[in-house]
Amino acid sequence: MRVLGIETSCDETGVALYDTDRGLLADVLYSQIAMHGEYGGVVPELASRDHTRKLLPLIQEALDAARLARDELDGIAYTAGPGLVGALMVGASTAHGLARALNIPVLGVHHMEGHLLAPMLEDEPPAFPFVALLVSGGHTQLVEVGGLGRYRLLGESVDDAAGEAFDKAAKMLGLAYPGGPQVARLAERGDPRRFRFPRPMTDRPGLDFSFSGLKTHTLTAANKLRDEAGELIDQDRADIARAFEEAVVDTLVIKCRRALDQTGLKRLVVAGGVSANARLRERLGVEVAKRGARAYYPRGRFCTDNGAMIAYVGAQRLLAGERDDTTMRAVPRWPLDRLTPPAS
């Protein structure tokens, strides 16, 4: 089954083609980072307009790369949520219109299910069951995964997601958007011994997260070091970035360790934009190995939003007989644990 995947949940326009027999055939992506960087964050109206401008050319680019014609498609999958409602509507309307013209099934899929199963696109995918850490700009969750659509939420952030906290810390330090990669690069020059920031909610049982207090602690530390002009010297910024990154990484590692111990599982999937963080991968690798377990990650380009993960999830569910009716779906808020397994 050849499935076209469309991702337009936020500030990246992703299109991919996945064949259930041959694997990933094409994957193209257009990022709006440069445009939104001028405003220090995503502007929803601009995001929707840019998706409208880029989506059809990207679909054609993906078809050309896979050497397929539109009438050779067997189905279309699009991100139905969660995300920015205007951006979601661009993908939904395009998918439904194209599917109607080609008389093929179309299905709206969950954005975070795409991230969750992105490691299935790798040469050595994880087997079910496993624990998943979904860590991005909008979500920080630990999930027990028993199979496609079999998700049990173990813990989640009660306030800011880890990626959101990275972006806000970057803004405090005068770094460009998106903040996560900028903080990580700056932290490489930081002194790990100068500051120790709190590891929130690790001194109590449970698997929930909280990063708002860490964000406040970072701002307080920065303000204490600013000169009369309100500026920070480069080394102060680097030392704060290092302390912030290590606090986030330690918190995520401690909670992942607890989740593996609590469930008794030996496989950990880490997905979402923050999963690309090198220090997080290094620390998790050590902790997981101590437990005789293994960590799985998507390749770098599939950590952030992309069409390939949507095409993959859509293919699995379309193959099982799921499909939309004539109603387009755009669901800005959509808890992952409300998903269900395919009926067949």
Side-chain angles (χ1 to χ4, degrees):
M1 186 178 201
R2 292 179 292 269
V3 175
L4 173 71
I6 295 172
E7 157 60 25
T8 62
S9 66
C10 190
D11 61 345
E12 262 126 7
T13 313
V15 176
L17 288 158
Y18 183 83
D19 188 312
T20 52
D21 293 324
R22 298 165 55 198
L24 188 63
L25 303 180
D27 171 53
V28 294
L29 183 74
Y30 174 77
S31 176
Q32 302 174 3
I33 284 176
M35 176 179 67
H36 295 295
E38 297 181 22
Y39 302 94
V42 177
V43 181
E45 177 63 23
L46 295 181
S48 301
R49 291 180 184 180
D50 223 31
H51 287 311
T52 301
R53 182 174 66 89
K54 295 298 294 186
L55 185 51
L56 287 176
L58 284 175
I59 290 173
Q60 190 58 54
E61 183 180 340
L63 288 167
D64 291 344
R67 298 182 179 179
L68 288 177
R70 292 187 182 188
D71 60 8
E72 292 180 278
L73 295 174
D74 300 307
I76 300 175
Y78 64 94
T79 300
L84 303 174
V85 66
L88 294 169
M89 284 299 296
V90 175
S93 58
T94 302
H96 269 261
L98 187 56
R100 180 71 65 86
L102 297 172
N103 195 29
I104 57 177
V106 60
L107 179 66
V109 303
H110 196 291
H111 177 75
M112 295 309 294
E113 185 173 37
H115 277 303
L116 179 73
L117 298 180
M120 298 299 185
L121 292 162
E122 304 303 319
D123 292 337
E124 296 184 31
F128 298 117
F130 54 78
V131 171
L133 171 67
L134 296 175
V135 57
S136 66
H139 299 81
T140 302
Q141 297 178 321
L142 279 164
V143 183
E144 183 177 354
V145 180
L148 180 65
R150 293 182 169 87
Y151 310 131
R152 182 169 72 93
L153 184 65
L154 302 174
E156 62 184 338
S157 180
V158 299
D159 42 57
D160 292 351
E164 182 183 3
F166 265 107
D167 287 341
K168 290 179 178 177
K171 204 165 188 176
M172 296 171 197
L173 297 175
L175 303 177
Y177 172 85
Q182 303 288 340
V183 171
R185 279 193 288 270
L186 184 60
E188 289 300 315
R189 307 200 307 269
D191 181 355
R193 297 163 297 182
R194 184 175 178 190
F195 299 112
R196 179 176 172 80
F197 288 2
R199 277 58 173 162
M201 295 185 72
T202 59
D203 59 349
R204 66 190 76 173
L207 296 172
D208 285 336
F209 303 88
S210 171
F211 294 105
S212 64
L214 178 59
K215 178 187 64 179
T216 302
H217 192 94
T218 302
L219 179 61
T220 301
N223 286 341
K224 286 181 179 178
L225 296 172
R226 295 186 192 279
D227 60 22
E228 292 181 358
E231 299 295 327
L232 290 168
I233 64 172
D234 288 346
Q235 192 58 51
D236 286 344
R237 291 164 68 241
D239 293 345
I240 291 171
R242 181 63 178 263
F244 173 83
E245 183 186 47
E246 291 207 342
V248 173
V249 166
D250 278 357
T251 301
L252 295 173
V253 169
I254 290 167
K255 297 293 179 139
C256 285
R257 187 172 63 208
R258 287 183 187 175
L260 289 172
D261 291 345
Q262 179 177 307
T263 61
L265 296 174
K266 297 297 184 182
R267 287 178 289 272
L268 174 70
V269 161
V270 188
V274 182
S275 71
N277 183 278
R279 185 162 283 113
L280 176 62
R281 291 191 178 207
E282 179 184 356
R283 288 287 316 283
L284 277 175
V286 172
E287 290 299 323
V288 167
K290 286 179 182 177
R291 283 159 172 72
R294 179 177 174 182
Y296 296 82
Y297 306 89
R299 70 193 78 169
R301 67 179 290 137
F302 294 159
C303 290
T304 52
D305 295 350
N306 62 87
M309 65 185 191
I310 302 304
Y312 175 81
V313 170
Q316 307 312 308
R317 288 189 173 273
L318 284 165
L319 200 62
E322 291 190 30
R323 58 204 59 203
D324 285 357
D325 55 23
T326 57
T327 305
M328 294 182 296
R329 289 193 290 163
V331 190
R333 297 182 182 275
W334 188 3
L336 180 68
D337 56 355
R338 289 186 185 174
L339 294 178
T340 57
S344 60

